[in-house]
Amino acid sequence: MPFLGQDWRSPGWSWIKTEDGWKRIEFYGNELRDNNNGIDLEELCDENKENLFTGNVCEVVAKKRKKDFYNNNTKSQFIYQEKWIYVQKESTRERHGYCTLGEAFNRLDFSSATQDIQRFTYVAKLLQLIARSQLPSLSGAAQKNYFNVLEKIVRKVLEDHHNPRLIKELLQDLSSTLCILTRGMGKSVLVGNINIWVCRLETILNWQQQLNNLQIPKQMSNGMTLRDLPLDMQNNILYKFSDACDIINLGQATPTLHMLSEDRHLWKKLCQFHFAEKQFCRHLILSERGHVDWKVMYYTLQKYYPKREQYGDTLHFCRHCSILFWKDSGHPCTANDPNNCLVPVSPQHFIDLFKF
C-alpha cells in the first residue's frame, strides 16, 4: 500500500473526530498565515491547477515556511510547567531511558520561578553553575530554554533593581564560557550554528552594558529613614545579613553604619555561619593587639572553602519516589512518612543528580 503522507519518513497526518467527521489537525494557526506574505504560494498553485505535482510541491513548501516561521518566532520549542519529574538514571523493566539535565531543566517550571523572590537567587545560582561547566551538555531545546529564562531574569533586574550583583557575576561567567567554546567551535559539542552563538554572545554583552549603566533612583521620602533608627535596630539589621558584600555596601551609607559594620563580633558571627571551627584553626590570623581579625579571617577562609548557601525556597528530592519537585506543589508520594524522605536540593546537588 503506498504511503500518502508528505514524506515517507514522517508518521503521516494527525486526525481528530468531530461531528462532521474526521478532520486533519493543523499545528500552525491562522496567525502564521498572515505573516507569510513574502511569496503567495497559493496563487502560484492556482495558476498551475492542471499540474498536480506542482500543487503538492507548493503545499509542502508553504507548510515548511510556516514551520520555520513558527520555530524562529517562538521563545521555546517545548513549554512545560510540570510540578514534579521522575529522576531516572537507568533503564528498568518498567521504564526505559533516563532523565537528563536538559530534560529536567525544560520540564520543571523555572520560568515562573524567576518571578518568585524566594526562588530567584536559587534559579540564578543554578544558571551560573550550568554556565560554568554544563552548558555543552544541554540539548538544543534546553539551551534555547536556558537563554529564555536568563532573559527574564535580566529584564526583572532591570525593572525592579533586585540583586544586580549576582546577575553580573552570572553574565560574566557565561560570557567567558561562550568565548572559549565559540573559539573552539568544531572541537566542542555546542549545538547549533556558530552565528547563533555569536548572536547570543552579543546579547550577553549588551545585557552586561545595561547592568553596568543601571542607576538606582534615590527614593525621596519625608518619613523615617534608616539613619533615624536607634543604634540597636541598625545593628540588628546588619546581623541579619549573610553576605559580606551586603554588609560593606550598607556600611557606606552613613558614618554610623560604617562604624557598626566594622564590629569584630559581627564578622565573627559571619565566619561561624559560613565555616566550621576546624577551618578557623588552620587559618588563624591575629591583629597587632593579639586579637583575631575576623574580617580578614573571613576573606581568607572563603579562598579555601565554599561559603554556606542560603535560599528562600529550593527544589526537593524524595528518596522514596526518586521525584524532584517544588515543595509547595508536592508530589504523589507512596511512603508512609513522606516528610522523612524529603531532601532539599542545592543548585550543585541538582546538577550532580544527572551525572551518570
Side-chain angles (χ1 to χ4, degrees):
M1 181 177 178
F3 188 81
L4 301 179
Q6 66 180 25
D7 191 340
W8 64 271
R9 294 166 295 183
S10 69
W13 303 114
S14 296
W15 300 80
I16 186 172
K17 189 175 182 179
T18 63
E19 296 179 355
D20 300 331
W22 289 89
K23 291 186 177 181
R24 195 175 69 201
I25 297 177
E26 293 289 343
F27 290 97
Y28 309 103
N30 295 328
E31 65 277 3
L32 299 179
R33 299 178 182 178
D34 298 336
N35 293 279
N36 193 13
N37 296 324
I39 300 177
D40 196 347
L41 295 173
E42 294 182 358
E43 294 181 2
L44 293 176
C45 294
D46 292 339
E47 295 176 357
N48 301 277
K49 288 183 179 180
E50 297 179 358
N51 192 337
L52 181 61
F53 177 76
T54 305
N56 291 335
V57 171
C58 290
E59 183 181 3
V60 172
V61 173
K63 289 180 179 179
K64 185 178 184 303
R65 294 191 64 215
K66 293 176 185 177
K67 182 177 180 180
D68 293 340
F69 179 86
Y70 179 81
N71 290 334
N72 294 332
N73 292 274
T74 305
K75 284 295 182 182
S76 180
Q77 291 179 335
F78 304 99
I79 301 175
Y80 297 96
Q81 292 185 352
E82 299 187 17
K83 297 180 180 179
W84 56 268
I85 62 169
Y86 178 79
V87 180
Q88 183 176 352
K89 295 187 177 182
E90 59 183 4
S91 296
T92 62
R93 182 178 298 178
E94 295 79 10
R95 293 175 179 266
H96 295 279
Y98 55 91
C99 185
T100 63
L101 175 63
E103 183 181 356
F105 188 82
N106 276 339
R107 294 173 60 184
L108 289 172
D109 191 12
F110 285 102
S111 181
S112 299
T114 59
Q115 306 303 317
D116 189 342
I117 191 172
Q118 292 185 335
R119 299 176 181 176
F120 180 85
T121 306
Y122 181 86
V123 177
K125 185 64 176 180
L126 178 60
L127 293 182
Q128 186 176 17
L129 292 178
I130 293 177
R132 289 176 179 176
S133 60
Q134 301 298 320
L135 190 61
S137 66
L138 299 181
S139 63
Q143 289 176 0
K144 191 173 183 179
N145 189 28
Y146 177 92
F147 283 96
N148 293 336
V149 175
L150 179 61
E151 181 180 1
K152 288 189 176 182
I153 289 179
V154 174
R155 286 182 178 179
K156 181 177 176 58
V157 173
L158 293 175
E159 291 175 0
D160 57 16
H161 309 140
H162 174 68
N163 211 343
R165 179 168 53 86
L166 176 61
I167 308 306
K168 288 180 181 180
E169 296 176 359
L170 165 60
L171 295 179
Q172 181 61 39
D173 291 341
L174 183 58
S175 61
S176 301
T177 302
L178 287 184
C179 287
I180 297 174
L181 293 177
T182 52
R183 289 173 186 172
M185 198 72 172
K187 301 179 181 179
S188 60
V189 290
L190 280 179
V191 178
N193 189 279
I194 181 64
N195 296 326
I196 297 177
W197 288 101
V198 171
C199 182
R200 288 172 176 172
L201 182 58
E202 292 177 353
T203 303
I204 293 171
L205 297 177
N206 185 26
W207 287 340
Q208 286 180 310
Q209 185 176 4
Q210 293 181 33
L211 290 176
N212 292 332
N213 298 332
L214 183 63
Q215 297 291 335
I216 301 178
K218 184 177 180 180
Q219 296 183 357
M220 303 300 295
S221 176
N222 297 327
M224 180 178 292
T225 60
L226 188 61
R227 68 178 64 190
D228 299 327
L229 296 176
L231 289 179
D232 293 341
M233 295 185 66
Q234 296 185 34
N235 196 35
N236 289 336
I237 292 175
L238 286 170
Y239 272 84
K240 296 296 182 181
F241 288 123
S242 61
D243 193 338
C245 293
D246 294 334
I247 295 177
I248 293 177
N249 291 335
L250 185 59
Q252 297 174 353
T254 63
T256 303
L257 286 172
H258 176 71
M259 178 190 66
L260 296 175
S261 65
E262 296 295 328
D263 183 18
R264 59 188 303 269
H265 295 287
L266 172 65
W267 290 95
K268 180 180 179 180
K269 288 288 185 181
L270 193 64
C271 288
Q272 292 175 346
F273 176 79
H274 286 285
F275 310 105
E277 293 184 2
K278 294 182 180 180
Q279 299 169 347
F280 296 163
C281 301
R282 297 176 183 176
H283 305 278
L284 195 62
I285 299 177
L286 301 178
S287 62
E288 296 178 355
R289 298 180 180 180
H291 301 294
V292 178
D293 194 336
W294 291 104
K295 184 176 181 180
V296 178
M297 174 81 76
Y298 172 84
Y299 286 104
T300 303
L301 290 173
Q302 74 170 3
K303 296 179 181 178
Y304 299 97
Y305 309 104
K307 295 184 294 183
R308 178 180 176 184
E309 297 180 356
Q310 187 179 28
Y311 304 102
D313 190 13
T314 66
L315 287 168
H316 283 69
F317 181 74
C318 180
R319 292 174 294 182
H320 177 77
C321 306
S322 296
I323 287 179
L324 192 64
F325 64 99
W326 293 106
K327 190 174 182 180
D328 60 347
S329 61
H331 76 288
C333 187
T334 58
N336 295 328
D337 191 0
N339 293 329
N340 290 335
C341 302
L342 301 184
V343 178
V345 178
S346 65
Q348 184 60 53
H349 186 198
F350 179 86
I351 295 176
D352 293 339
L353 280 175
F354 305 99
K355 289 183 177 180
F356 308 124

